[in-house]
Amino acid sequence: MIMARAVCLCAFVYLLFATGLAQAQAANVHAGRFAEKSVEKAALQVDAGGSLRLRYEWKRNFSLGAAAAISPQDYLLSQLRLHVRVRYKNRWLIYLEGQDARVNRAFLNNTVNDRKSANTFADAFDLHQGYLDAHLFGNMGEAYADRLRIGRQKFNLGAQRMLASLEWVNTARVWDAVRYSQYLGASKRKVDIWASHLVAVRPHGFNHHGRSGNRMFDSRFYGVYFSDAASFSQTHIETYYLQRDNQQFGDRTHTLGLRLAWQGALWDADGEAMGQTGRFAFLTHRAYALHVGAGRKIADNVHIGMAYNTGSGDKNSGDGRHQTFDNLYPLNHAYYGYMDFFSLQNMRNAEAVLRWRADEDSTFRLAYQGFWLAQAGSDAWYNA
């Protein structure tokens, strides 16, 4: 039996640096919105803000597949973020954000004092994001606007099944990257191109992307992502190419993906198909994943939906081929059960979800999740 309970408490830090109060965009979906103080003089605008998040977790028998039950544990997580943003003439922007993430008790087998571990719980105050934005050929918001972003930054693209900053995790994900974004004649049509390296968290030192011994953190990551919400009515189309490269582990996986999302007055549907080739652990890599879903609004504030997800597994571990899907850097928390025990690898998942929006600030969600192994006899469960 696996039981997981989490209570989220959110508090917000208000910083006053000059005159006038401006509403800021939330740094992450779990911390919510917070207030900022801004000052504007001529072409220069400066604003600052922050957030504080507290979360208590209690778990019992949480180690899936362990030979013996692990004792219950509980801990309090805290996450403090402070940022400053400087804009100049709507063409240049500098953004700096510091983060202090702490845990009052170390998760078993994930010691916060291990500088080499890709830690998800603790990180003494450190640079979380720091980048320069340059709009080279017009101001953002114009028909053919562009943006060059250089520095430590986050990626949240599409439905985030393959690429997300994973804000639920206490330290979240950031990349050191060069990223170019171009709007193609409309605000709803965009292409992103980037080269990046995921930043490993070092709880008591400056976070950098030196070798950590972790396959995913030590990889270089490249991509092209095209999004089009303008060409077809009520339809969003996304197509992408992603490459993860880690010579030390013998990995070079290539992912081609296509996502379609349609929103009608009562009905909605979406699907995403992903195929992979390349190398994994020096083996020939061939894998795939698929999502299909549909839903219907049964009242103004009530929605019911169903979905099916599958990620390929390895049929034969001794045939010289690797067929387990490479889930890359996803937001699995939102899709395959809030307990975060499953990833889109060697998995088949069916779900039914009922959502009721009580008011502008409250939504209730009731969900059923079923899980099966894609290759039960030759491959394993993979956690999130």
Side-chain angles (χ1 to χ4, degrees):
M1 177 180 181
I2 301 170
M3 298 184 64
R5 301 178 182 178
V7 179
C8 300
L9 301 174
C10 298
F12 310 104
V13 178
Y14 294 85
L15 302 179
L16 301 179
F17 285 93
T19 59
L21 189 64
Q23 182 67 39
Q25 181 178 357
N28 64 71
V29 296
H30 299 291
R33 289 183 172 84
F34 51 90
E36 291 183 345
K37 195 68 176 178
S38 64
V39 58
E40 186 173 359
K41 184 177 181 180
L44 183 68
Q45 180 177 343
V46 181
D47 56 68
S51 67
L52 173 65
R53 185 178 80 180
L54 303 174
R55 184 166 84 239
Y56 172 79
E57 292 190 4
W58 175 83
K59 297 183 179 181
R60 186 177 72 185
N61 298 341
F62 61 89
S63 184
L64 185 66
I70 295 179
S71 300
Q73 65 176 232
D74 65 296
Y75 46 84
L76 178 67
L77 302 175
S78 66
Q79 180 200 85
L80 173 66
R81 290 178 179 173
L82 302 172
H83 73 256
V84 61
R85 181 188 294 110
V86 181
R87 297 185 183 92
Y88 181 69
K89 289 186 175 180
N90 290 325
R91 299 293 294 270
W92 302 90
L93 182 146
I94 296 175
Y95 184 82
L96 296 173
E97 182 179 50
Q99 175 177 271
D100 185 81
R102 298 181 184 268
V103 58
N104 75 335
R105 194 178 296 179
F107 198 96
L108 295 180
N109 300 320
N110 194 355
T111 307
V112 298
N113 294 321
D114 183 359
R115 290 173 179 266
K116 294 183 179 180
S117 66
N119 197 281
T120 61
F121 291 91
D123 183 21
F125 195 83
D126 209 331
L127 177 66
H128 188 53
Q129 293 191 88
Y131 55 79
L132 168 70
D133 279 356
H135 302 298
L136 304 178
F137 304 107
N139 297 327
M140 184 55 66
E142 296 178 354
Y144 288 91
D146 72 333
R147 183 187 70 195
L148 177 66
R149 175 168 292 181
I150 303 173
R152 188 157 296 182
Q153 56 190 274
K154 296 185 177 182
F155 288 92
N156 289 288
L157 294 176
Q160 303 181 34
R161 292 181 185 274
M162 298 295 291
L163 183 56
S165 61
L166 193 58
E167 298 297 335
W168 174 254
V169 167
N170 208 38
T171 53
R173 292 192 190 113
V174 292
W175 285 261
D176 284 341
V178 176
R179 176 182 179 184
Y180 182 74
S181 304
Q182 174 71 59
Y183 286 90
L184 304 175
S187 61
K188 294 184 178 181
R189 193 180 290 121
K190 180 186 177 185
V191 63
D192 290 281
I193 304 171
W194 70 87
S196 69
H197 199 304
L198 187 64
V199 180
V201 173
R202 301 171 192 273
H204 301 289
F206 180 73
N207 295 341
H208 62 86
H209 46 76
R211 288 187 176 179
S212 65
N214 180 285
R215 164 176 261 119
M216 306 306 289
F217 275 84
D218 290 351
S219 293
R220 293 183 175 88
F221 186 57
Y222 310 93
V224 180
Y225 204 103
F226 175 69
S227 176
D228 182 2
S231 295
F232 300 96
S233 175
Q234 302 176 320
T235 302
H236 196 132
I237 303 173
E238 297 170 352
T239 184
Y240 52 87
Y241 165 75
L242 308 173
Q243 178 184 318
R244 185 180 65 81
D245 191 347
N246 188 326
Q247 295 182 4
Q248 179 188 6
F249 283 82
D251 296 353
R252 178 170 286 179
T253 65
H254 307 273
T255 304
L256 286 173
L258 174 65
R259 176 175 179 259
L260 302 175
W262 174 80
Q263 179 68 58
L266 294 177
W267 290 90
D268 58 87
D270 72 310
E272 188 164 359
M274 295 147 279
Q276 289 183 336
T277 185
R279 298 195 315 272
F280 191 101
F282 300 100
L283 301 176
T284 299
H285 179 67
R286 300 289 186 271
Y288 68 90
L290 176 68
H291 159 78
V292 289
R296 190 183 191 281
K297 184 187 295 184
I298 58 178
D300 288 341
N301 59 343
V302 181
H303 181 275
I304 188 170
M306 301 184 69
Y308 175 75
N309 307 288
T310 184
S312 63
D314 202 295
K315 296 179 180 179
N316 184 348
S317 59
D319 64 358
R321 294 191 302 168
H322 183 267
Q323 296 171 300
T324 306
F325 187 70
D326 185 355
N327 204 186
L328 298 179
Y329 306 101
L331 180 64
N332 287 332
H333 171 81
Y335 295 114
Y336 319 121
Y338 279 6
M339 292 189 297
D340 279 341
F341 281 112
F342 305 100
S343 66
L344 193 58
Q345 298 173 270
N346 191 37
M347 180 193 74
R348 293 173 181 170
N349 163 237
E351 69 170 9
V353 179
L354 175 68
R355 292 199 309 269
W356 169 46
R357 189 172 182 85
D359 53 46
E360 292 184 358
D361 300 316
S362 304
T363 300
F364 295 88
R365 182 179 186 271
L366 177 65
Y368 168 83
Q369 301 279 349
F371 297 96
W372 302 266
L373 291 175
Q375 300 295 333
S378 56
D379 210 338
W381 284 113
Y382 295 84
N383 64 25

